[in-house]
Each structure stands twice: as C-alpha cells, then as structure tokens.
Amino acid sequence: MTTIISRATWGAKGWNGTPASVPLSQRTEFFVHYDGGAHITRTGYAIMRAIEAEHLGNGWSGVGYNFVVDQAGNAYEGRGWNLQGAHCPGHNVTGLAVQIAIGGDQKPSAKALATARALYEDACKKTGRTLAKKGHRDGYATACPGAQLYVWVKAGMPAGDYVPAPNPGGSLPSDGSELSRAQATISGLVYGYGAKGDHVTKVGQALVKKGFGKHYTSGPGPTWTDADTKNYQDYQESLGYSGAAADGVPGETSLKKLLGTLPGKVSAKPVPPFPGAAKFGPGKNNASITLLGQQLVRKGYGRHYSSGPGPKWSDADRKNVRAFQLAHASLEGDADGIPGPQTWKLLFS
C-alpha cells in the first residue's frame, strides 16, 4: 500500500464545508491531472499549501484532488479515498483524481509516475474492480493533463519497478479509512484529527510520559495528527478498550485518566492593544514581535520558526502571519504577512 502524507502532516486548513462522502463502490474511473502551463520546480508540503490556497480561492472546500504526487515521488492526501472530489465536472463522484505536480511541457519523473501508478493499483484493490485510466481531457474539454502525461495514461500508465518514496513527514500510512478522522468535544475543547491548541500538545506530552509516544517522529505539537490518534489508540487498548471504543479519539473517561482531570476551556483574556503596524516588518526589533510570535505558536501557526519567536522580525514571522491570515476568510484579501488591527484581534481572541 502506498504511503500517503496526511492532510494534518502537510498542514491543511480545516474544510471550508466538508465534502460529501462517496462509497468506494461508486468509483469506476481514475483521472490524472497536471498543474497547468508553468513548470513546477519545488517539491514537498509547499506544493499542497499552494494548491489549497488556489482551490479555496475558487470557493471549493479545500484541495479538489483526491491525491497529489510531486516529482520526488511523495503522495499527499487531498480528499483521500472517501470524499467527493472537485476536479472534473460530471466525474467527481465516479472518478478518483491524482494530480502529478508538473506543468506545461515538463517531463514527469520516474518516481512521480511510479507513485501515481501505485495509487492506481491501490484504488483498484480498494474498489474491487479495474478502474478506467483517464486523463482530465477524457472527461472535460481541457489541455490537462498535458501532452506527456496523456500519452502515458493512454499507454496504460507504465511505471517499471520503482518503489515509491517513503513519507518524509513522519506521519502514519494513511488512506483516510484506517484511522479515525472523528473529533470529540470535551469541556468545550476539541480533540481528534485536525484539532489545534495547547490542549492537544498536553495530551501528546501526557501520552509520551506514560510510554505511548512511539508513533511520534517529531512533536507532540498543537495540531492533532494521525500519530496522535495512533498513540491514543495504543493508550486506549492498554485500558482494555477494543473495537470501536479504541478508535484513538479521546472520551471523557480515558482523557481524565490520562490527564488526572478534565481540562476546561480557558476563558478568553482581554486582547492586548494593537501596537500599530509600524512595529512589524523588516528591520524591526521589539517586544511586540515576540508577543506576536508566541501567540502564533499557541494558535498552531508557528511551523516556519526554526528557533522559536523572538523580538527581531524575520521572514518566518511574515510567513506565519500570512498562514494565519489565509486561514481566515475575513483576512484573505490582505494576506501580506503584516498584522493589522483585525489580524491582531482575531489572533488574540
């Protein structure tokens, strides 16, 4: 089974309206896409975040493809196996979609083709049928997936004996169905896949302390990932839970036993006064920048820091602020990475 980098690992935003669920029994087609006219030179998580920003800008729920494959051979979860896509009108229910992240006349790498082919094989196994191999243009009038990929699709998607690249992000193998993606709200705080906050970090730290941290490769951190789910599942099984009761999603009883008490949602503190935009940007050095960075980390938007927030403005500050702005519809039109009064208010609320 192909290793797939989960949405939580590459840093996906929450769904802008969760896509409809589609039984695998309804899938009959496998569509291949490309990015468009321009060559794609980068690999890694940045590709997914760029696609997500574009697709959210289209008014979609999030990334429209079921999976994306980069030139390094990494596979990323978009809609996964069980959610309706947004990639080819008239075929979003019957068709699973994989985008290979190239553009124009760019040549797909052997690694990318091998991973895409592996996903196709996985899809056939999961649906119990041989899916029709198609390029985007077979379902809709478009140049996608470009000349080179379309020839590859029509040739039967050959990929030699290449073994797909391992997951560099440290997440568990995930096809969206093996691990629970459910959430639970306890005392006003959300737990489970995709949940964010200090309380998520505390659960992870408690799991590690009790010896249930083997699935972490980095962290624990403020975003609930598949690794958190798997570690919590191990913890539940140690308590004697099994089956659906050991799904890796906290319940009140197990969480209280883990933490010693059920944490309550902390009452909101007054928003500190906005110090003014002049305090932020290249060359600035002051306590307001430290305060900003610390709050970004608390909110789960600190991934660009390599050594923690500090008083000297850096490009990591700008990128983290911009990520926060893009995650809030009221701020997306001015996502320049410099906090204004509204960004400040939302960040500290």
Side-chain angles (χ1 to χ4, degrees):
M1 184 179 68
T2 311
T3 298
I4 297 168
I5 299 170
S6 69
R7 282 171 45 84
T9 297
W10 64 256
K13 298 181 175 69
W15 292 112
N16 180 28
T18 304
S21 179
V22 178
L24 284 169
S25 60
Q26 294 188 35
R27 306 294 196 181
T28 59
E29 307 165 292
F30 188 92
F31 282 89
V32 175
H33 298 254
Y34 79 158
D35 192 71
H39 285 205
I40 307 299
T41 58
R42 57 189 174 180
T43 61
Y45 302 169
I47 285 178
M48 294 305 298
R49 291 192 284 267
I51 294 172
E52 180 183 61
E54 178 184 353
H55 288 190
L56 286 171
N58 292 340
W60 301 349
S61 298
V63 173
Y65 307 110
N66 297 91
F67 304 101
V68 174
V69 175
D70 68 15
Q71 286 281 64
N74 301 309
Y76 302 88
E77 179 188 27
R79 306 242 168 156
W81 297 110
N82 301 310
L83 295 180
Q84 179 175 326
H87 62 92
C88 188
H91 299 269
N92 289 324
V93 171
T94 57
L96 288 162
V98 171
Q99 189 216 57
I100 297 180
I102 60 172
D105 61 355
Q106 187 175 3
K107 183 179 179 179
S109 70
K111 296 178 181 180
L113 295 180
T115 299
R117 176 60 192 237
L119 286 168
Y120 172 78
E121 299 294 342
D122 288 345
C124 292
K125 290 176 182 177
K126 288 178 179 294
T127 59
R129 62 167 61 93
T130 300
L131 301 182
K133 304 182 184 78
K134 294 186 176 183
H136 188 183
R137 67 179 69 174
D138 290 323
Y140 186 76
T142 175
C144 183
Q148 295 206 51
L149 277 177
Y150 193 62
V151 168
W152 176 71
V153 170
K154 289 306 177 182
M157 299 170 58
D161 297 323
Y162 180 78
V163 177
N167 182 348
S171 71
L172 295 165
S174 169
D175 65 5
S177 63
E178 296 161 344
L179 296 177
S180 175
R181 295 300 172 86
Q183 293 184 334
T185 301
I186 301 173
S187 300
L189 296 171
V190 178
Y191 299 88
Y193 183 80
K196 293 185 177 183
D198 290 342
H199 62 292
V200 173
T201 303
K202 290 176 181 176
V203 169
Q205 291 170 340
L207 287 168
V208 170
K209 188 175 181 179
K210 286 185 176 290
F212 298 99
K214 70 178 182 180
H215 298 288
Y216 292 128
T217 58
S218 62
T223 300
W224 191 289
T225 68
D226 286 339
D228 294 286
T229 300
K230 193 65 175 177
N231 286 329
Y232 203 92
Q233 189 174 46
D234 290 346
Y235 164 66
Q236 289 171 323
E237 289 174 351
S238 77
L239 299 178
Y241 297 175
S242 62
D247 60 356
V249 182
E252 288 192 9
T253 301
S254 63
L255 186 63
K256 185 175 182 180
K257 190 172 184 64
L258 176 68
L259 300 178
T261 184
L262 287 179
K265 195 168 185 177
V266 179
S267 300
K269 297 179 181 178
V271 176
F274 178 57
K279 291 283 188 181
F280 308 100
K284 303 297 182 180
N285 190 325
N286 55 70
S288 295
I289 296 174
T290 302
L291 180 63
L292 171 76
Q294 291 171 340
Q295 187 66 6
L296 285 166
V297 171
R298 291 191 191 98
K299 289 282 189 174
Y301 293 90
R303 59 186 172 81
H304 292 290
Y305 291 127
S306 59
S307 59
K312 185 177 181 180
W313 181 265
S314 68
D315 196 48
D317 293 296
R318 181 190 66 80
K319 289 179 179 178
N320 286 329
V321 172
R322 187 171 188 274
F324 177 80
Q325 290 169 329
L326 288 172
H328 294 77
S330 62
L331 303 174
E332 285 184 356
D334 189 28
D336 58 2
I338 301 296
Q342 184 64 11
T343 298
W344 187 268
K345 181 180 178 181
L346 285 174
L347 182 61
F348 283 91
S349 63

